[in-house]
Amino acid sequence: MIGLLMWAGDSHPAWDTSAWDWAWGWVQGLADLVAQAFGGLGRVFDQSGGLSLAQRLGFFAYVLLLLYFFWRATRAWLAYKPGPVDVQQLTDSTPILGKNSPSVEDLTAELRRQLSESSMYAPTTLPAEAPTTSFLELLGDIEIDPKKLGVVLPRLLSRLRPTLAYRVGGVLRFRDEEPDQCGLTVTVMAFVFGGSRAMTVWGKDWDEVIHKAACCVISSLLPVTRAGRQPPWRQWWGRELEPELYEAYQKANELGRAGHYHEAAARYYEAIRLDPANPYLRTELAEIQEKMGLHIDALDTCQRALALDGQAAHRYNKRLWQIGRKLHWCRMRYFRHPRRYRDMLGLRYRNTIILGISEMTAEQWYERRGTNSQGTHEKLIPVLVDRYWPVAVDLADIDPLVKNQACFDEEEKARNWLEAVLKLPSESEGCDAAREKNLSRIRLAFQKAATRETNRLVADDLWARLAGLYAPGRVLSWIRLFWPFSLFQSARGPLQPVTRGAFQVSRRIWAPLRLAWASEYFDNNHSPGSPPVRAGPLVWDRIQPKELRKQIHKARRRLPLCPFWRRRDWLTLYNSACVYALAMKTEAANDHLREELAWRAVKTLEKAVLVSKGKFASVEQAWLVNEDPDLKSLQADKLFQGFVQTAYPSPEVSEKSAPSITEQMRDYDYRLLEETAKVMQDVWLRRSKEAGVDIHEATEWLRVERGIWERIHEVAAAGHIFSWRDRVELIRSVQVNSNPTVRATAGFPPSVLADEDAPDGRPSSEEIDKLLERLKRGTELDWAPDSRSLLWQQALSQASADREAFDAATFRELSFGYVAAWQRLHDWLAREPKDQDGEQPFLKALRNIPEP
């Protein structure tokens, strides 16, 4: 365009530039070009003379072509961004339903709210006028007058830039088929290149319908908008995303933030079933499993996902044990697939953390604890042996575990040793010496594997930085410095989940320190004559704060020769504090040394809180205060408790120490039973007030009631601490059986993270176990709640087959019996009133449930 204007005004510049001799050569040249361009533009609109008619027509055709491409580009960018989504008011086509009639305004507002939470609906002054569907219609709406170019051109340019990319509408529907009677046909119209998509969803109530419709709309827009370029939807860009996958992930994310870890894990499994090759889903599942204390399950989740970056498992194992810094072609694979490297970064880091906290992982491995302990262990042993057998090359010579076996080479010997260690039985638990010796073997093997994974990850990160894989993120951070607001609000999260400083702290200090601890533990539990294991640069009983501080400062340096320019991101400072807290576990640490280490750890955490951003400021609070195994020795210190009250103030100060994962799960089971009793009491009270009850509906209620009591027994069993599926089944049974009541009860299901300490005087877990065992397998099976529900279910089924009528008074008496039973159970669990006689009122209420 500029070239054409300069050609037209070559001999007719708009002004004389001969007076610009005093300016620099390039300034005068630029002035000449500008004068020629404006001179050519004047000749185009000069009617008295200038260009020929053919030249004018060619010029205007070229302008129209440029405007067309500009119009298409602005529409495509608005659709990709995305721009405002016009959510029109829903249309009600349902019959008159009385109290159950939907409120169109409320449902429309709820749909807009759910879309806005996913950044798919920007608050605007819409409804706006829909853009024209073709370029000719756009030009036809504007009267082009050459004499009024000052008015026509701004109007034309404003119309070329559209303000609306998508429009969402819906029609409310209703059908007689149960249970999903409420429906909504939602239509998504795209104004980019035309086209629309209509989907129909059904649900039990209008809230469920609106939620499903919002998931359908978002799953339609994600693969074609900028949000789909961000994790965890990057692999779905340009493809059709299933609404069930998006719904499962969103629900899992919400439940995880709220502390409902068991339900979140179930939702993550649903999402992984629909998208098994997504490493982000596996990473978040592993984090949830860690918070539930399921370290072996989290290890299995990470180990089976390490090859999701496009390489086979044996390729990953080969790259893991490449020694040295020389350039190898295997190191270059991430340069060809930079996104795969970033996608796997968080998962690989989580794998090193799980292996690195070997004192907890080894104990659970040895005791075969987990969701499906025996099956998980047996299937995971071949994976660990193939991947980490080099850690046992030197240990097989020191430890005589497989001394008498004939081996052809070091690899076979190391494989046999590692396999024998991972298969060590836990039956010798009665012998403390044998148990500690076996634990030391497993722990040292896991710790050496974690050290190697850390070194490999840091080396890959170095090559990634040299290749410029993080350059886009660096450019983005600089752009935010000059244009902070809009760009910051549109950001979906950090491009790099783990920083370089955190990698360096883990490689230089955290992993060697834990390896020294595991080596010392291994030496102390073996015969004095055996040679000591020194697998790292640090010696556990010679740790000094000055040396740790020196190593941390080296790890935090941005440049090798610049001691004052250090990394101060949250994760780097947090890992540094974990190193100080971990050193407090050394046997050589006296009171003065522990105080110094605690002081340095707390000061580093204070710096970390000052730079915390996003989820680190709130979501990770529970992990820092109660759950992180690196901070266990620090959590009992007064300095740390004062830091917690400063960083995360609360109205009540707890004097109790952080509970173990077993105590936390038992407390959660107790609160879950208490809230279940409260909800079911309200459910049966509501049912007792119904005028007429269908016999088939009552039979289904009693079947679910029997299942709830059976699941209560499974949840309260002492040996089912890690069986989270039983808790999920109990929660779902109560929610399905009492949907309106659950929505009115804000405390169900309770969060795993208790807001306050457990009240004194509540029944112990042993009391609950004995009582439920008595109800389940005692001699008085005729009044046990599950047996009584089964008898009523059978009786109603027979009455239905015989076409007998169901007396409303009988059902009301039965409902009051269950109301009293659930109320007594809740009172006994909550100790209300305080002077009640234990569980006797509850047992009496169970006996008073009428027989069929």
Side-chain angles (χ1 to χ4, degrees):
M1 180 68 180
I2 301 297
L4 289 178
L5 293 177
M6 292 173 58
W7 171 79
D10 187 14
S11 58
H12 299 79
W15 56 81
D16 186 13
T17 59
S18 59
W20 290 58
D21 296 338
W22 55 269
W24 293 331
W26 66 271
V27 175
Q28 186 177 9
L30 181 62
D32 292 339
L33 296 178
V34 174
Q36 291 180 15
F38 278 95
L41 183 63
R43 294 187 66 191
V44 170
F45 293 97
D46 187 6
Q47 299 179 1
S48 60
L51 300 179
S52 63
L53 180 60
Q55 291 175 336
R56 294 173 188 272
L57 292 177
F59 175 79
F60 283 113
Y62 189 77
V63 169
L64 291 178
L65 184 62
L66 288 181
L67 292 177
Y68 173 75
F69 282 114
F70 177 77
W71 175 69
R72 296 293 292 262
T74 53
R75 296 182 68 188
W77 169 247
L78 190 65
Y80 175 74
K81 192 176 178 179
V85 179
D86 180 16
V87 182
Q88 295 185 318
Q89 184 168 333
L90 302 178
T91 303
D92 187 8
S93 65
T94 61
I96 299 177
L97 302 176
K99 295 182 179 180
N100 296 327
S101 297
S103 174
V104 176
E105 292 78 7
D106 292 345
L107 296 181
T108 305
E110 179 64 19
L111 179 60
R112 290 174 176 171
R113 185 192 66 82
Q114 295 196 21
L115 294 181
S116 65
E117 289 182 353
S118 302
S119 300
M120 286 296 172
Y121 175 77
T124 60
T125 57
L126 299 177
E129 182 182 357
T132 53
T133 57
S134 67
F135 184 70
L136 295 178
E137 291 181 4
L138 184 143
L139 295 179
D141 293 340
I142 300 176
E143 297 180 359
I144 300 178
D145 188 355
K147 298 181 180 180
K148 299 180 179 179
L149 293 179
V151 178
V152 174
L153 288 179
R155 183 181 179 187
L156 177 61
L157 293 177
S158 65
R159 293 293 301 274
L160 286 175
R161 187 179 184 275
T163 59
L164 187 62
Y166 302 98
R167 171 167 289 172
V168 177
V171 179
L172 300 175
R173 302 172 60 182
F174 188 83
R175 63 183 181 183
D176 296 332
E177 292 82 358
E178 294 183 352
D180 298 334
Q181 294 182 310
C182 304
L184 173 64
T185 298
V186 60
T187 304
V188 181
M189 180 179 296
F191 295 113
V192 186
F193 304 114
S196 62
R197 182 178 183 182
M199 299 154 286
T200 302
V201 294
W202 298 93
K204 297 180 181 179
D205 51 31
W206 296 112
D207 292 337
E208 181 181 357
V209 168
I210 292 298
H211 177 70
K212 290 183 177 180
C215 292
C216 290
V217 172
I218 297 174
S219 61
S220 300
L221 299 182
L222 268 178
V224 295
T225 58
R226 182 170 50 182
R229 292 287 192 180
Q230 301 295 332
W233 313 115
R234 184 177 294 162
Q235 298 178 0
W236 289 93
W237 204 88
R239 301 165 54 191
E240 184 174 355
L241 178 64
E242 297 183 19
E244 293 80 8
L245 172 59
Y246 176 80
E247 181 181 5
Y249 174 76
Q250 285 295 105
K251 194 63 178 179
N253 211 329
E254 294 175 3
L255 292 171
R257 291 196 303 266
H260 302 289
Y261 299 148
H262 306 85
E263 301 166 87
R267 290 287 187 169
Y268 274 121
Y269 274 110
E270 293 180 13
I272 292 175
R273 179 181 57 83
L274 297 172
D275 189 6
N278 195 324
Y280 289 99
L281 300 181
R282 307 246 184 166
T283 304
E284 296 185 19
L285 174 61
E287 292 180 0
I288 291 295
Q289 290 171 331
E290 271 195 285
K291 293 179 180 180
M292 291 192 296
L294 301 174
H295 298 285
I296 303 303
D297 297 71
L299 179 62
D300 181 70
T301 300
C302 292
Q303 287 291 319
R304 299 189 181 281
L306 290 177
L308 289 180
D309 58 348
Q311 61 180 333
H314 71 279
R315 292 289 185 184
Y316 179 85
N317 301 342
K318 182 179 179 180
R319 291 186 69 257
L320 180 62
W321 296 100
Q322 287 177 355
I323 308 298
R325 294 188 175 182
K326 69 176 183 178
L327 192 61
H328 191 274
W329 66 270
C330 289
R331 301 180 188 271
M332 307 297 293
R333 71 175 311 275
Y334 287 128
F335 301 162
R336 301 191 306 269
H337 310 285
R339 287 186 176 179
R340 290 181 177 179
Y341 171 76
R342 290 195 295 266
D343 292 347
M344 293 295 298
L345 195 62
L347 181 66
R348 293 176 63 187
Y349 183 75
R350 180 56 49 190
N351 180 58
T352 61
I353 297 300
I354 298 172
L355 288 171
I357 51 174
S358 57
E359 70 275 12
M360 304 180 66
T361 308
E363 184 177 358
Q364 285 195 9
W365 182 278
Y366 184 70
E367 295 179 357
R368 302 296 193 267
R369 290 191 299 177
T371 304
N372 185 16
S373 57
Q374 192 64 31
T376 302
H377 283 71
E378 295 300 327
K379 295 178 181 178
L380 195 54
I381 286 176
V383 178
L384 296 178
V385 171
D386 290 339
R387 185 161 292 160
Y388 301 121
W389 65 264
V391 304
V393 172
D394 56 340
L395 298 178
D397 297 329
I398 299 175
D399 190 4
L401 186 62
V402 290
K403 186 175 182 180
N404 298 327
Q405 295 186 9
C407 301
F408 296 99
D409 54 10
E410 288 187 350
E411 179 179 350
E412 184 180 359
K413 187 177 181 180
R415 284 177 176 271
N416 293 338
W417 185 90
L418 184 58
E419 184 176 2
V421 166
L422 296 178
K423 289 184 177 180
L424 285 173
S426 59
E427 286 78 9
S428 59
E429 201 169 331
C431 181
D432 294 337
R435 181 179 184 275
E436 294 297 323
K437 189 173 183 179
N438 293 335
L439 278 176
S440 67
R441 291 165 170 161
I442 301 174
R443 180 177 172 184
L444 184 57
F446 281 160
Q447 201 66 60
K448 294 186 70 175
T451 303
R452 188 56 205 167
E453 287 279 6
T454 303
N455 294 335
R456 177 75 274 154
L457 192 55
V458 174
D460 288 344
D461 181 74
L462 176 61
W463 288 107
R465 289 180 177 274
L466 294 177
L469 298 186
Y470 298 144
R474 185 71 61 183
V475 173
L476 183 62
S477 64
W478 280 101
I479 294 177
R480 288 181 181 178
L481 180 64
F482 300 101
W483 196 263
F485 300 106
S486 62
L487 202 61
F488 179 77
Q489 293 175 356
S490 63
R492 298 287 177 152
L495 297 178
Q496 184 185 1
V498 188
T499 61
R500 178 68 178 173
F503 280 142
Q504 288 292 342
V505 172
S506 297
R507 183 184 70 87
R508 288 178 175 267
I509 315 127
W510 182 80
L513 188 62
R514 277 195 162 274
L515 182 57
W517 185 17
S519 301
E520 184 74 14
Y521 182 61
F522 181 85
D523 293 338
N524 294 337
N525 287 279
H526 282 70
S527 59
S530 60
V533 176
R534 298 301 182 193
L538 298 180
V539 181
W540 180 249
D541 54 357
R542 300 177 187 174
I543 302 299
Q544 294 296 328
K546 292 183 179 179
E547 183 64 24
L548 291 180
R549 182 186 179 189
K550 181 179 179 181
Q551 294 295 331
I552 289 175
H553 285 179
K554 287 183 179 179
R556 288 176 53 191
R557 287 180 184 175
R558 290 186 176 271
L559 295 176
L561 301 179
C562 185
F564 304 103
W565 191 18
R566 300 190 183 98
R567 296 178 175 89
R568 292 179 174 84
D569 58 274
W570 187 92
L571 194 55
T572 300
L573 293 171
Y574 182 79
N575 287 0
S576 303
C578 289
V579 170
Y580 289 124
L582 186 62
M584 296 174 62
K585 297 178 180 290
T586 59
E587 298 178 0
N590 50 28
D591 294 340
H592 176 71
L593 183 58
R594 289 177 182 272
E595 290 179 1
E596 184 178 357
L597 291 172
W599 179 81
R600 293 189 181 278
V602 171
K603 291 300 180 182
T604 309
L605 287 176
E606 290 177 351
K607 296 178 182 178
V609 172
L610 292 177
V611 297
S612 62
K613 295 180 181 179
K615 67 176 184 179
F616 297 125
S618 57
V619 178
E620 300 301 324
Q621 171 186 349
W623 178 259
L624 185 150
V625 176
N626 298 323
E627 302 172 11
D628 195 336
D630 289 329
L631 302 179
K632 284 297 181 183
S633 299
L634 182 64
Q635 289 168 355
D637 193 272
K638 294 182 179 180
L639 288 176
F640 180 79
Q641 295 175 0
F643 157 75
V644 171
Q645 290 301 317
T646 303
Y648 310 105
S650 60
E652 297 180 1
V653 180
S654 176
E655 300 294 338
K656 299 181 180 180
S657 59
S660 62
I661 189 63
T662 302
E663 296 173 347
Q664 188 178 5
M665 288 297 104
R666 292 307 296 173
D667 178 73
Y668 174 74
D669 290 339
Y670 189 96
R671 290 184 285 113
L672 179 59
L673 295 180
E674 185 177 349
E675 294 298 330
T676 299
K678 182 179 179 181
V679 171
M680 293 307 299
Q681 173 190 346
D682 296 338
V683 168
W684 281 106
L685 185 62
R686 177 174 52 84
R687 290 171 177 172
S688 65
K689 299 178 181 179
E690 296 185 6
V693 179
D694 182 70
I695 189 172
H696 301 284
E697 189 175 12
T699 305
E700 179 64 19
W701 289 344
L702 291 168
R703 185 190 65 80
V704 177
E705 178 77 12
R706 177 170 60 90
I708 290 176
W709 282 106
E710 292 176 351
R711 291 183 177 94
I712 283 179
H713 178 270
E714 297 294 335
V715 168
H720 288 72
I721 299 295
F722 298 99
S723 297
W724 59 271
R725 290 188 177 91
D726 296 330
R727 301 183 181 97
V728 173
E729 291 298 328
L730 174 60
I731 292 172
R732 289 181 176 179
S733 298
V734 176
Q735 289 175 337
V736 172
N737 193 36
S738 53
N739 197 13
T741 306
V742 167
R743 285 202 303 269
T745 307
F748 188 87
S751 173
V752 176
L753 306 175
D755 296 332
E756 55 186 11
D757 296 334
D760 298 330
R762 61 199 276 170
S764 62
S765 59
E766 290 77 10
E767 292 182 272
I768 301 176
D769 295 338
K770 292 179 181 179
L771 175 63
L772 293 175
E773 185 68 22
R774 181 181 177 186
L775 295 178
K776 184 70 177 179
R777 301 174 182 174
T779 56
E780 302 171 302
L781 289 178
D782 56 333
W783 53 266
D786 52 344
S787 301
R788 186 63 55 86
S789 300
L790 178 60
L791 293 177
W792 271 101
Q793 181 185 351
Q794 294 173 347
L796 292 182
S797 298
Q798 185 63 36
S800 176
D802 297 339
R803 298 183 180 180
E804 296 181 3
F806 187 35
D807 188 10
T810 304
F811 179 76
R812 189 175 298 108
E813 182 182 0
L814 175 64
S815 299
F816 283 135
Y818 279 112
V819 169
W822 286 110
Q823 180 182 5
R824 289 300 186 181
L825 176 60
H826 178 267
D827 293 343
W828 176 62
L829 294 174
R831 291 299 193 187
E832 296 177 359
K834 302 299 183 181
D835 56 348
Q836 68 171 341
D837 186 16
E839 73 273 10
Q840 294 303 320
F842 170 54
L843 298 177
K844 182 179 179 181
L846 290 179
R847 293 189 183 96
N848 292 335
I849 296 178
E851 298 181 3

